[in-house]
């Protein structure tokens, strides 16, 4: 805190003191403005701190963040990117709801209406579809980043689990949305997908029946998937995202290597207390208290910078880039819409969405192992990894040498999944026979 | 003998325990009630028993796929059987092929009687009970499976 804040000016209070009616009325817009935005754009460190502190939307950020958090090559911005896709999906999804009817007789026509007669209908649907695909991919990459930098380790084990749950919720939200256009792609992907759920031991058939609300995919399934997709899952995801963000701060910010915290010997930094109240008796407030590695007392120097503007500009950058990319893709490529549902004739081959094609490829060898066994083990291993791999070395570095085994195992799993997805996408033809895409 | 100091606190802990159990029990019952609610008591799908027309509609020696019902009607001489065309793997509709049935989704193959001859299908196609209804039409009951090779004698 090098510079002292200028004494706060309060025109409303000044007007009250002068007692004039007219100045009070004239000052009303400014009074209202000041009651909403408590601080003008900051020009000092104190102002930067107070801005983050007193604004609801900025308050989710700490006043200061570690410099390591801002390194683009460390985080690749993937967490913020995931969140941006979720926001885009929420906004476009709510808009699409105004024109959509979850009925087997109307849903497909509404898809055509979006194309034909709704203003911006095509681009909204494109945005929603491509953002959904992007979110699945980006959340998976975010997970890979967190794993490969060892960021799931103490004290971030629980946040890793929250992240795993968010990944599953993302897949489920995408899966439920897949049925809504009520075209051939939708119908058969969900027929296959829910049949996979039916292979779960003991409760599989019951889960399948609960999901579909009937013996086969039909009106009940469409309605159920709709409610799950537009209310239940977004609500749960929002709650989990809030927990995910809150946990980041409680765990001392993003992970970083111990070297990133290394600083010059303490002692030569003077802390100057700033009298905030302006005049009279000096009063000081305890602004916040965070346990763990971020607690700083008095003269401990740090490698932190103010969130305003450093972190906010970084986030804004990721936000703009992500939205720009989604918009470009949505303007160039139309979301697919196949023939309306024909429950009698599955397309040949009937393929699930790309992120499930790896599973479908496995399922073509064995329904139980491909649909339940292997994914179940993978999810369980992912969730338990912070409790299995408990060495604290190698945190905060990409591909740390100390983490060679863990990273290799993870990359092997990821690589196999990608290989199966590629086989399922490009090398499978009618009757799921091997074909050459070339 | 004076009252032991532990007495009141143990009574309190017992009450606490009961309250906690009551709350947890209520939560559990609410959760179960939600599942009961979500499970439909009546479904709106197809009935399990339906008529598929007269035996004359299925000439002898034919294998006719009734797509709307997802069944295949097989007639050999005066014998008739109904085989499900719902793939036992993941529920796609199998098509009639030269050697029997073939699934377009994951490549399961079945022979003429619905036995698995290849692909990921875990079991053979179901055979449904079929009989003549009083009005002279054939009635299929998809809730009643019969053993493979069980024909109805017209």
């Amino acid at each position: 805190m090098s510079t002292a804040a200028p004494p706060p000016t309060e025109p409303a209070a000044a007007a009250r003191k002068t007692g004039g009616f007219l100045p009070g009325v004239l000052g009303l817009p400014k009074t209202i403005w000041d009651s909403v935005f408590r601080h003008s754009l900051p020009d000092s460190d104190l102002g930067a701190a107070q801005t983050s502190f007193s604004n609801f939307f900025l308050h989710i950020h700490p006043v200061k963040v570690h410099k390591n958090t801002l390194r683009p090559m460390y985080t690749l911005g993937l967490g913020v990117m995931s969140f941006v896709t979720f926001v885009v999906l929420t906004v476009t999804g709510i808009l699409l709801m105004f024109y959509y009817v979850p009925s087997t007789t109307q849903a497909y026509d509404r898809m055509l209406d979006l194309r034909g007669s709704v203003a911006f209908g095509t681009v909204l649907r494109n945005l929603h579809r491509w953002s959904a695909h992007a979110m699945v991919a980006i959340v998976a990459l975010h997970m890979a980043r967190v794993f490969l930098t060892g960021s799931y380790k103490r004290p971030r084990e629980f946040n890793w689990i929250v992240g795993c749950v968010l990944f599953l919720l993302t897949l489920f939200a995408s899966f439920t949305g897949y049925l809504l256009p009520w075209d051939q792609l939708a119908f058969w992907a969900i027929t296959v997908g829910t049949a996979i759920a039916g292979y779960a031991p003991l409760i599989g058939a019951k889960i399948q029946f609960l999901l579909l609300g009937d013996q086969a995919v039909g009106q009940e399934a469409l309605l159920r998937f709709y409610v799950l997709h537009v209310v239940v899952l977004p609500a749960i995801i929002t709650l989990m995202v809030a927990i995910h963000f809150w946990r980041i701060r409680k765990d001392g910010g993003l992970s970083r290597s111990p070297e990133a915290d290394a600083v010059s010997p303490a002692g030569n930094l003077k802390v100057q207390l700033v009298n905030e109240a302006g005049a009279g008796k000096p009063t000081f407030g305890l602004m916040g208290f965070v346990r763990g590695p971020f607690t700083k007392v008095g003269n401990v120097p740090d490698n932190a910078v103010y969130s305003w503007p450093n972190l906010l500009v970084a986030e804004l950058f990721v936000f703009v880039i992500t939205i720009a990319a989604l918009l470009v893709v949505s303007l160039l490529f139309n979301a697919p819409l196949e023939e309306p549902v024909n429950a009698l004739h599955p397309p040949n081959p009937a393929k699930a969405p790309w992120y499930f094609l790896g599973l479908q490829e496995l399922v073509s060898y064995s329904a139980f192992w491909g649909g339940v066994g292997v994914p179940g083990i993978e999810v369980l291993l992912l969730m338990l990894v912070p409790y299995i791999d408990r060495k604290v070395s190698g945190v905060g570095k990409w591909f740390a040498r100390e983490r060679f085994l863990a990273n290799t195992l993870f990359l092997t799993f990821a690589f196999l999944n990608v290989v199966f997805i590629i086989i399922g996408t490009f090398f499978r033809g009618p009757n799921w026979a091997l074909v050459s895409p070339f | 003998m004076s009252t032991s100091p532990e007495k009141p606190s143990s009574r309190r802990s017992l009450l606490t325990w009961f309250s906690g159990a009551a709350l947890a029990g209520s939560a559990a019952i609410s959760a179960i009630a939600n599942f009961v609610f979500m499970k439909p008591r009546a479904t709106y799908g197809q009935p399990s028993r339906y008529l598929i027309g007269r035996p004359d509609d299925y000439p002898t020696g034919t294998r006719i796929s009734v797509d709307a019902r997802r069944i295949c009607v097989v007639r050999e001489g005066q014998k008739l059987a109904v085989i499900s065309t719902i793939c036992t793997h993941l529920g796609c509709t199998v098509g009639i092929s030269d050697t029997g049935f073939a699934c377009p989704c994951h490549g399961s193959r079945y022979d003429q009687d619905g036995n698995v001859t290849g692909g990921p299908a875990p079991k053979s196609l179901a055979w449904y009970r079929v009989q003549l209804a009083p009005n002279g039409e054939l009635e299929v009951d998809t809730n009643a499976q019969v053993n493979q090779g069980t024909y109805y004698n017209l």
Side-chain angles (χ1 to χ4, degrees), chain A residues 195 199 210 213-214 220 224 344-345 348 350 360 363-364 431-432, chain B residues 38 40 43-45 67 88-90 103-107 120 122:
Chain A
Y199 273 93
L210 273 186
D214 205 339
E220 295 306 298
R224 279 169 186 238
L344 312 178
H345 292 287
N348 192 351
Q360 194 179 350
V363 160
S364 74
N431 290 333
W432 210 247
Chain B
M38 289 302 288
T43 56
Y44 303 88
D67 285 342
T88 55
H89 179 229
L90 290 174
C103 181
C105 293
H106 305 94

PDB file of all heavy atoms in Angstrom, chain A residues 195 199 210 213-214 220 224 344-345 348 350 360 363-364 431-432, chain B residues 38 40 43-45 67 88-90 103-107 120 122:
ATOM      1  N   ALA A 195     -29.862 -48.000 -23.458  1.00  0.00           N
ATOM      2  CA  ALA A 195     -29.695 -49.446 -23.385  1.00  0.00           C
ATOM      3  C   ALA A 195     -28.375 -49.789 -22.705  1.00  0.00           C
ATOM      4  O   ALA A 195     -28.286 -50.774 -21.967  1.00  0.00           O
ATOM      5  CB  ALA A 195     -29.746 -50.062 -24.780  1.00  0.00           C
ATOM      6  N   TYR A 199     -27.376 -52.048 -18.848  1.00  0.00           N
ATOM      7  CA  TYR A 199     -26.436 -53.123 -18.568  1.00  0.00           C
ATOM      8  C   TYR A 199     -25.801 -53.018 -17.187  1.00  0.00           C
ATOM      9  O   TYR A 199     -25.063 -53.908 -16.777  1.00  0.00           O
ATOM     10  CB  TYR A 199     -25.340 -53.175 -19.630  1.00  0.00           C
ATOM     11  CG  TYR A 199     -25.714 -54.016 -20.818  1.00  0.00           C
ATOM     12  CD1 TYR A 199     -26.305 -53.449 -21.929  1.00  0.00           C
ATOM     13  CD2 TYR A 199     -25.504 -55.381 -20.806  1.00  0.00           C
ATOM     14  CE1 TYR A 199     -26.659 -54.216 -23.027  1.00  0.00           C
ATOM     15  CE2 TYR A 199     -25.853 -56.169 -21.896  1.00  0.00           C
ATOM     16  CZ  TYR A 199     -26.430 -55.580 -22.997  1.00  0.00           C
ATOM     17  OH  TYR A 199     -26.773 -56.354 -24.067  1.00  0.00           O
ATOM     18  N   LEU A 210     -36.583 -45.647 -15.479  1.00  0.00           N
ATOM     19  CA  LEU A 210     -36.792 -44.325 -14.873  1.00  0.00           C
ATOM     20  C   LEU A 210     -36.436 -43.215 -15.848  1.00  0.00           C
ATOM     21  O   LEU A 210     -37.126 -42.205 -15.940  1.00  0.00           O
ATOM     22  CB  LEU A 210     -35.931 -44.183 -13.618  1.00  0.00           C
ATOM     23  CG  LEU A 210     -36.504 -44.671 -12.291  1.00  0.00           C
ATOM     24  CD1 LEU A 210     -35.563 -44.307 -11.169  1.00  0.00           C
ATOM     25  CD2 LEU A 210     -37.881 -44.100 -12.045  1.00  0.00           C
ATOM     26  N   GLY A 213     -39.085 -43.480 -18.759  1.00  0.00           N
ATOM     27  CA  GLY A 213     -40.479 -43.371 -18.358  1.00  0.00           C
ATOM     28  C   GLY A 213     -41.371 -44.315 -19.126  1.00  0.00           C
ATOM     29  O   GLY A 213     -42.592 -44.175 -19.104  1.00  0.00           O
ATOM     30  N   ASP A 214     -40.743 -45.254 -19.828  1.00  0.00           N
ATOM     31  CA  ASP A 214     -41.494 -46.188 -20.664  1.00  0.00           C
ATOM     32  C   ASP A 214     -40.528 -47.300 -21.054  1.00  0.00           C
ATOM     33  O   ASP A 214     -39.368 -47.271 -20.675  1.00  0.00           O
ATOM     34  CB  ASP A 214     -42.033 -45.452 -21.905  1.00  0.00           C
ATOM     35  CG  ASP A 214     -43.269 -46.143 -22.478  1.00  0.00           C
ATOM     36  OD1 ASP A 214     -43.463 -47.339 -22.192  1.00  0.00           O
ATOM     37  OD2 ASP A 214     -44.021 -45.476 -23.201  1.00  0.00           O
ATOM     38  N   GLU A 220     -42.628 -39.887 -23.344  1.00  0.00           N
ATOM     39  CA  GLU A 220     -42.223 -39.779 -21.933  1.00  0.00           C
ATOM     40  C   GLU A 220     -40.734 -39.478 -21.826  1.00  0.00           C
ATOM     41  O   GLU A 220     -40.311 -38.634 -21.038  1.00  0.00           O
ATOM     42  CB  GLU A 220     -42.537 -41.076 -21.200  1.00  0.00           C
ATOM     43  CG  GLU A 220     -44.009 -41.384 -21.111  1.00  0.00           C
ATOM     44  CD  GLU A 220     -44.793 -40.245 -20.514  1.00  0.00           C
ATOM     45  OE1 GLU A 220     -44.545 -39.897 -19.358  1.00  0.00           O
ATOM     46  OE2 GLU A 220     -45.644 -39.670 -21.229  1.00  0.00           O
ATOM     47  N   ARG A 224     -38.967 -36.202 -20.167  1.00  0.00           N
ATOM     48  CA  ARG A 224     -38.030 -36.362 -19.053  1.00  0.00           C
ATOM     49  C   ARG A 224     -36.664 -35.772 -19.384  1.00  0.00           C
ATOM     50  O   ARG A 224     -36.056 -35.082 -18.565  1.00  0.00           O
ATOM     51  CB  ARG A 224     -37.885 -37.847 -18.699  1.00  0.00           C
ATOM     52  CG  ARG A 224     -39.024 -38.305 -17.852  1.00  0.00           C
ATOM     53  CD  ARG A 224     -39.130 -39.774 -17.648  1.00  0.00           C
ATOM     54  NE  ARG A 224     -40.372 -39.992 -16.924  1.00  0.00           N
ATOM     55  CZ  ARG A 224     -40.460 -40.594 -15.752  1.00  0.00           C
ATOM     56  NH1 ARG A 224     -39.404 -41.129 -15.196  1.00  0.00           N
ATOM     57  NH2 ARG A 224     -41.618 -40.686 -15.135  1.00  0.00           N
ATOM     58  N   LEU A 344     -38.769 -47.221 -36.861  1.00  0.00           N
ATOM     59  CA  LEU A 344     -38.729 -48.522 -37.511  1.00  0.00           C
ATOM     60  C   LEU A 344     -37.411 -48.767 -38.224  1.00  0.00           C
ATOM     61  O   LEU A 344     -37.021 -49.894 -38.453  1.00  0.00           O
ATOM     62  CB  LEU A 344     -39.870 -48.613 -38.530  1.00  0.00           C
ATOM     63  CG  LEU A 344     -41.219 -48.169 -37.977  1.00  0.00           C
ATOM     64  CD1 LEU A 344     -42.270 -48.231 -39.053  1.00  0.00           C
ATOM     65  CD2 LEU A 344     -41.591 -49.026 -36.792  1.00  0.00           C
ATOM     66  N   HIS A 345     -36.729 -47.706 -38.602  1.00  0.00           N
ATOM     67  CA  HIS A 345     -35.528 -47.884 -39.399  1.00  0.00           C
ATOM     68  C   HIS A 345     -34.346 -47.137 -38.815  1.00  0.00           C
ATOM     69  O   HIS A 345     -34.184 -45.948 -39.068  1.00  0.00           O
ATOM     70  CB  HIS A 345     -35.766 -47.417 -40.839  1.00  0.00           C
ATOM     71  CG  HIS A 345     -36.728 -48.291 -41.564  1.00  0.00           C
ATOM     72  ND1 HIS A 345     -36.404 -49.556 -41.985  1.00  0.00           N
ATOM     73  CD2 HIS A 345     -38.020 -48.105 -41.906  1.00  0.00           C
ATOM     74  CE1 HIS A 345     -37.445 -50.114 -42.564  1.00  0.00           C
ATOM     75  NE2 HIS A 345     -38.446 -49.257 -42.529  1.00  0.00           N
ATOM     76  N   ASN A 348     -27.965 -46.697 -40.643  1.00  0.00           N
ATOM     77  CA  ASN A 348     -26.943 -47.725 -40.585  1.00  0.00           C
ATOM     78  C   ASN A 348     -25.622 -47.147 -41.070  1.00  0.00           C
ATOM     79  O   ASN A 348     -25.515 -46.785 -42.224  1.00  0.00           O
ATOM     80  CB  ASN A 348     -27.370 -48.884 -41.489  1.00  0.00           C
ATOM     81  CG  ASN A 348     -26.519 -50.103 -41.262  1.00  0.00           C
ATOM     82  OD1 ASN A 348     -25.512 -50.048 -40.558  1.00  0.00           O
ATOM     83  ND2 ASN A 348     -26.921 -51.215 -41.849  1.00  0.00           N
ATOM     84  N   ALA A 350     -25.780 -46.595 -36.788  1.00  0.00           N
ATOM     85  CA  ALA A 350     -26.357 -45.645 -35.840  1.00  0.00           C
ATOM     86  C   ALA A 350     -25.264 -45.240 -34.860  1.00  0.00           C
ATOM     87  O   ALA A 350     -24.828 -46.053 -34.045  1.00  0.00           O
ATOM     88  CB  ALA A 350     -27.525 -46.282 -35.103  1.00  0.00           C
ATOM     89  N   GLN A 360     -18.939 -46.470 -27.539  1.00  0.00           N
ATOM     90  CA  GLN A 360     -19.714 -47.311 -28.451  1.00  0.00           C
ATOM     91  C   GLN A 360     -18.810 -48.345 -29.113  1.00  0.00           C
ATOM     92  O   GLN A 360     -19.210 -49.489 -29.313  1.00  0.00           O
ATOM     93  CB  GLN A 360     -20.409 -46.445 -29.515  1.00  0.00           C
ATOM     94  CG  GLN A 360     -21.488 -47.218 -30.256  1.00  0.00           C
ATOM     95  CD  GLN A 360     -22.209 -46.378 -31.295  1.00  0.00           C
ATOM     96  OE1 GLN A 360     -22.046 -45.171 -31.369  1.00  0.00           O
ATOM     97  NE2 GLN A 360     -23.020 -47.028 -32.096  1.00  0.00           N
ATOM     98  N   VAL A 363     -18.352 -50.881 -26.623  1.00  0.00           N
ATOM     99  CA  VAL A 363     -19.600 -51.606 -26.462  1.00  0.00           C
ATOM    100  C   VAL A 363     -19.775 -52.638 -27.567  1.00  0.00           C
ATOM    101  O   VAL A 363     -20.388 -53.682 -27.365  1.00  0.00           O
ATOM    102  CB  VAL A 363     -20.778 -50.598 -26.448  1.00  0.00           C
ATOM    103  CG1 VAL A 363     -22.081 -51.277 -26.765  1.00  0.00           C
ATOM    104  CG2 VAL A 363     -20.861 -49.912 -25.105  1.00  0.00           C
ATOM    105  N   SER A 364     -19.200 -52.379 -28.752  1.00  0.00           N
ATOM    106  CA  SER A 364     -19.361 -53.318 -29.851  1.00  0.00           C
ATOM    107  C   SER A 364     -18.564 -54.596 -29.608  1.00  0.00           C
ATOM    108  O   SER A 364     -18.763 -55.592 -30.296  1.00  0.00           O
ATOM    109  CB  SER A 364     -18.958 -52.679 -31.178  1.00  0.00           C
ATOM    110  OG  SER A 364     -17.563 -52.566 -31.250  1.00  0.00           O
ATOM    111  N   ASN A 431     -23.401 -51.663 -40.457  1.00  0.00           N
ATOM    112  CA  ASN A 431     -23.316 -52.843 -39.582  1.00  0.00           C
ATOM    113  C   ASN A 431     -22.070 -52.824 -38.698  1.00  0.00           C
ATOM    114  O   ASN A 431     -21.595 -53.849 -38.245  1.00  0.00           O
ATOM    115  CB  ASN A 431     -23.349 -54.131 -40.400  1.00  0.00           C
ATOM    116  CG  ASN A 431     -24.713 -54.342 -40.996  1.00  0.00           C
ATOM    117  OD1 ASN A 431     -25.717 -53.877 -40.448  1.00  0.00           O
ATOM    118  ND2 ASN A 431     -24.774 -55.012 -42.121  1.00  0.00           N
ATOM    119  N   TRP A 432     -21.542 -51.596 -38.461  1.00  0.00           N
ATOM    120  CA  TRP A 432     -20.376 -51.427 -37.596  1.00  0.00           C
ATOM    121  C   TRP A 432     -19.173 -52.219 -38.093  1.00  0.00           C
ATOM    122  O   TRP A 432     -18.341 -52.703 -37.345  1.00  0.00           O
ATOM    123  CB  TRP A 432     -20.709 -51.811 -36.148  1.00  0.00           C
ATOM    124  CG  TRP A 432     -19.909 -51.034 -35.157  1.00  0.00           C
ATOM    125  CD1 TRP A 432     -18.951 -51.528 -34.328  1.00  0.00           C
ATOM    126  CD2 TRP A 432     -19.983 -49.637 -34.864  1.00  0.00           C
ATOM    127  NE1 TRP A 432     -18.411 -50.521 -33.558  1.00  0.00           N
ATOM    128  CE2 TRP A 432     -19.033 -49.353 -33.866  1.00  0.00           C
ATOM    129  CE3 TRP A 432     -20.740 -48.582 -35.369  1.00  0.00           C
ATOM    130  CZ2 TRP A 432     -18.838 -48.082 -33.354  1.00  0.00           C
ATOM    131  CZ3 TRP A 432     -20.551 -47.316 -34.860  1.00  0.00           C
ATOM    132  CH2 TRP A 432     -19.615 -47.095 -33.852  1.00  0.00           C
TER     133      TRP A 432
ATOM    134  N   MET B  38     -41.078 -40.757  -9.690  1.00  0.00           N
ATOM    135  CA  MET B  38     -40.503 -40.759 -11.033  1.00  0.00           C
ATOM    136  C   MET B  38     -40.833 -42.028 -11.810  1.00  0.00           C
ATOM    137  O   MET B  38     -40.763 -42.058 -13.023  1.00  0.00           O
ATOM    138  CB  MET B  38     -38.982 -40.613 -10.950  1.00  0.00           C
ATOM    139  CG  MET B  38     -38.500 -39.249 -10.518  1.00  0.00           C
ATOM    140  SD  MET B  38     -39.063 -37.953 -11.595  1.00  0.00           S
ATOM    141  CE  MET B  38     -38.075 -38.234 -13.050  1.00  0.00           C
ATOM    142  N   PRO B  40     -43.172 -44.304 -13.516  1.00  0.00           N
ATOM    143  CA  PRO B  40     -44.571 -44.216 -13.948  1.00  0.00           C
ATOM    144  C   PRO B  40     -45.347 -45.487 -13.616  1.00  0.00           C
ATOM    145  O   PRO B  40     -44.823 -46.588 -13.736  1.00  0.00           O
ATOM    146  CB  PRO B  40     -44.448 -44.022 -15.463  1.00  0.00           C
ATOM    147  CG  PRO B  40     -43.112 -44.482 -15.816  1.00  0.00           C
ATOM    148  CD  PRO B  40     -42.228 -44.362 -14.621  1.00  0.00           C
ATOM    149  N   THR B  43     -47.850 -46.663 -18.446  1.00  0.00           N
ATOM    150  CA  THR B  43     -47.076 -46.142 -19.555  1.00  0.00           C
ATOM    151  C   THR B  43     -48.007 -45.900 -20.734  1.00  0.00           C
ATOM    152  O   THR B  43     -49.098 -46.457 -20.806  1.00  0.00           O
ATOM    153  CB  THR B  43     -45.958 -47.121 -19.958  1.00  0.00           C
ATOM    154  OG1 THR B  43     -46.556 -48.374 -20.251  1.00  0.00           O
ATOM    155  CG2 THR B  43     -44.952 -47.282 -18.846  1.00  0.00           C
ATOM    156  N   TYR B  44     -47.547 -45.058 -21.623  1.00  0.00           N
ATOM    157  CA  TYR B  44     -48.393 -44.666 -22.741  1.00  0.00           C
ATOM    158  C   TYR B  44     -47.963 -45.339 -24.038  1.00  0.00           C
ATOM    159  O   TYR B  44     -48.440 -44.995 -25.091  1.00  0.00           O
ATOM    160  CB  TYR B  44     -48.349 -43.146 -22.905  1.00  0.00           C
ATOM    161  CG  TYR B  44     -48.769 -42.422 -21.649  1.00  0.00           C
ATOM    162  CD1 TYR B  44     -47.855 -42.107 -20.653  1.00  0.00           C
ATOM    163  CD2 TYR B  44     -50.100 -42.090 -21.456  1.00  0.00           C
ATOM    164  CE1 TYR B  44     -48.243 -41.468 -19.504  1.00  0.00           C
ATOM    165  CE2 TYR B  44     -50.506 -41.445 -20.302  1.00  0.00           C
ATOM    166  CZ  TYR B  44     -49.569 -41.136 -19.329  1.00  0.00           C
ATOM    167  OH  TYR B  44     -49.965 -40.505 -18.196  1.00  0.00           O
ATOM    168  N   GLY B  45     -47.007 -46.250 -23.937  1.00  0.00           N
ATOM    169  CA  GLY B  45     -46.476 -46.875 -25.132  1.00  0.00           C
ATOM    170  C   GLY B  45     -47.434 -47.906 -25.714  1.00  0.00           C
ATOM    171  O   GLY B  45     -48.623 -47.926 -25.418  1.00  0.00           O
ATOM    172  N   ASP B  67     -42.572 -54.023 -39.123  1.00  0.00           N
ATOM    173  CA  ASP B  67     -41.690 -53.002 -38.550  1.00  0.00           C
ATOM    174  C   ASP B  67     -42.340 -52.258 -37.397  1.00  0.00           C
ATOM    175  O   ASP B  67     -41.699 -51.981 -36.387  1.00  0.00           O
ATOM    176  CB  ASP B  67     -41.283 -52.007 -39.642  1.00  0.00           C
ATOM    177  CG  ASP B  67     -40.242 -52.609 -40.569  1.00  0.00           C
ATOM    178  OD1 ASP B  67     -39.626 -53.605 -40.157  1.00  0.00           O
ATOM    179  OD2 ASP B  67     -40.063 -52.090 -41.684  1.00  0.00           O
ATOM    180  N   THR B  88     -30.815 -57.796 -28.956  1.00  0.00           N
ATOM    181  CA  THR B  88     -30.617 -58.002 -27.520  1.00  0.00           C
ATOM    182  C   THR B  88     -29.395 -57.268 -27.003  1.00  0.00           C
ATOM    183  O   THR B  88     -29.156 -57.224 -25.813  1.00  0.00           O
ATOM    184  CB  THR B  88     -30.453 -59.498 -27.210  1.00  0.00           C
ATOM    185  OG1 THR B  88     -29.381 -60.004 -28.009  1.00  0.00           O
ATOM    186  CG2 THR B  88     -31.728 -60.258 -27.515  1.00  0.00           C
ATOM    187  N   HIS B  89     -28.636 -56.671 -27.939  1.00  0.00           N
ATOM    188  CA  HIS B  89     -27.452 -55.927 -27.505  1.00  0.00           C
ATOM    189  C   HIS B  89     -27.861 -54.570 -26.939  1.00  0.00           C
ATOM    190  O   HIS B  89     -27.837 -54.367 -25.739  1.00  0.00           O
ATOM    191  CB  HIS B  89     -26.491 -55.774 -28.693  1.00  0.00           C
ATOM    192  CG  HIS B  89     -25.256 -55.018 -28.372  1.00  0.00           C
ATOM    193  ND1 HIS B  89     -24.802 -53.993 -29.165  1.00  0.00           N
ATOM    194  CD2 HIS B  89     -24.396 -55.120 -27.353  1.00  0.00           C
ATOM    195  CE1 HIS B  89     -23.694 -53.511 -28.634  1.00  0.00           C
ATOM    196  NE2 HIS B  89     -23.425 -54.183 -27.536  1.00  0.00           N
ATOM    197  N   LEU B  90     -28.312 -53.646 -27.815  1.00  0.00           N
ATOM    198  CA  LEU B  90     -28.666 -52.327 -27.309  1.00  0.00           C
ATOM    199  C   LEU B  90     -29.981 -51.804 -27.875  1.00  0.00           C
ATOM    200  O   LEU B  90     -30.217 -50.599 -27.934  1.00  0.00           O
ATOM    201  CB  LEU B  90     -27.538 -51.336 -27.602  1.00  0.00           C
ATOM    202  CG  LEU B  90     -26.273 -51.585 -26.788  1.00  0.00           C
ATOM    203  CD1 LEU B  90     -25.159 -50.660 -27.230  1.00  0.00           C
ATOM    204  CD2 LEU B  90     -26.511 -51.426 -25.306  1.00  0.00           C
ATOM    205  N   CYS B 103     -27.911 -56.670 -37.215  1.00  0.00           N
ATOM    206  CA  CYS B 103     -28.189 -55.396 -36.551  1.00  0.00           C
ATOM    207  C   CYS B 103     -27.321 -54.293 -37.157  1.00  0.00           C
ATOM    208  O   CYS B 103     -26.107 -54.468 -37.302  1.00  0.00           O
ATOM    209  CB  CYS B 103     -27.910 -55.496 -35.060  1.00  0.00           C
ATOM    210  SG  CYS B 103     -28.283 -53.957 -34.201  1.00  0.00           S
ATOM    211  N   PRO B 104     -27.922 -53.163 -37.508  1.00  0.00           N
ATOM    212  CA  PRO B 104     -27.153 -52.090 -38.138  1.00  0.00           C
ATOM    213  C   PRO B 104     -26.299 -51.292 -37.155  1.00  0.00           C
ATOM    214  O   PRO B 104     -25.420 -50.548 -37.574  1.00  0.00           O
ATOM    215  CB  PRO B 104     -28.239 -51.189 -38.740  1.00  0.00           C
ATOM    216  CG  PRO B 104     -29.435 -51.420 -37.878  1.00  0.00           C
ATOM    217  CD  PRO B 104     -29.355 -52.845 -37.433  1.00  0.00           C
ATOM    218  N   CYS B 105     -26.577 -51.426 -35.845  1.00  0.00           N
ATOM    219  CA  CYS B 105     -25.900 -50.533 -34.898  1.00  0.00           C
ATOM    220  C   CYS B 105     -24.500 -51.014 -34.546  1.00  0.00           C
ATOM    221  O   CYS B 105     -23.538 -50.256 -34.635  1.00  0.00           O
ATOM    222  CB  CYS B 105     -26.732 -50.377 -33.641  1.00  0.00           C
ATOM    223  SG  CYS B 105     -28.269 -49.487 -33.945  1.00  0.00           S
ATOM    224  N   HIS B 106     -24.379 -52.242 -34.095  1.00  0.00           N
ATOM    225  CA  HIS B 106     -23.073 -52.714 -33.650  1.00  0.00           C
ATOM    226  C   HIS B 106     -22.700 -54.045 -34.265  1.00  0.00           C
ATOM    227  O   HIS B 106     -21.849 -54.757 -33.748  1.00  0.00           O
ATOM    228  CB  HIS B 106     -23.035 -52.800 -32.123  1.00  0.00           C
ATOM    229  CG  HIS B 106     -23.405 -51.525 -31.466  1.00  0.00           C
ATOM    230  ND1 HIS B 106     -24.692 -51.267 -31.057  1.00  0.00           N
ATOM    231  CD2 HIS B 106     -22.706 -50.418 -31.197  1.00  0.00           C
ATOM    232  CE1 HIS B 106     -24.750 -50.050 -30.554  1.00  0.00           C
ATOM    233  NE2 HIS B 106     -23.565 -49.505 -30.620  1.00  0.00           N
ATOM    234  N   GLY B 107     -23.400 -54.387 -35.348  1.00  0.00           N
ATOM    235  CA  GLY B 107     -22.986 -55.551 -36.122  1.00  0.00           C
ATOM    236  C   GLY B 107     -23.299 -56.902 -35.515  1.00  0.00           C
ATOM    237  O   GLY B 107     -22.631 -57.897 -35.846  1.00  0.00           O
ATOM    238  N   PRO B 120     -21.659 -58.428 -30.814  1.00  0.00           N
ATOM    239  CA  PRO B 120     -21.656 -58.308 -29.352  1.00  0.00           C
ATOM    240  C   PRO B 120     -22.947 -58.758 -28.654  1.00  0.00           C
ATOM    241  O   PRO B 120     -23.019 -58.707 -27.442  1.00  0.00           O
ATOM    242  CB  PRO B 120     -21.451 -56.813 -29.145  1.00  0.00           C
ATOM    243  CG  PRO B 120     -22.079 -56.189 -30.347  1.00  0.00           C
ATOM    244  CD  PRO B 120     -21.881 -57.146 -31.478  1.00  0.00           C
ATOM    245  N   PRO B 122     -25.582 -60.431 -26.491  1.00  0.00           N
ATOM    246  CA  PRO B 122     -25.346 -61.395 -25.418  1.00  0.00           C
ATOM    247  C   PRO B 122     -26.274 -62.601 -25.467  1.00  0.00           C
ATOM    248  O   PRO B 122     -25.946 -63.644 -24.924  1.00  0.00           O
ATOM    249  CB  PRO B 122     -25.581 -60.585 -24.153  1.00  0.00           C
ATOM    250  CG  PRO B 122     -26.556 -59.528 -24.562  1.00  0.00           C
ATOM    251  CD  PRO B 122     -26.300 -59.239 -26.012  1.00  0.00           C
TER     252      PRO B 122
END
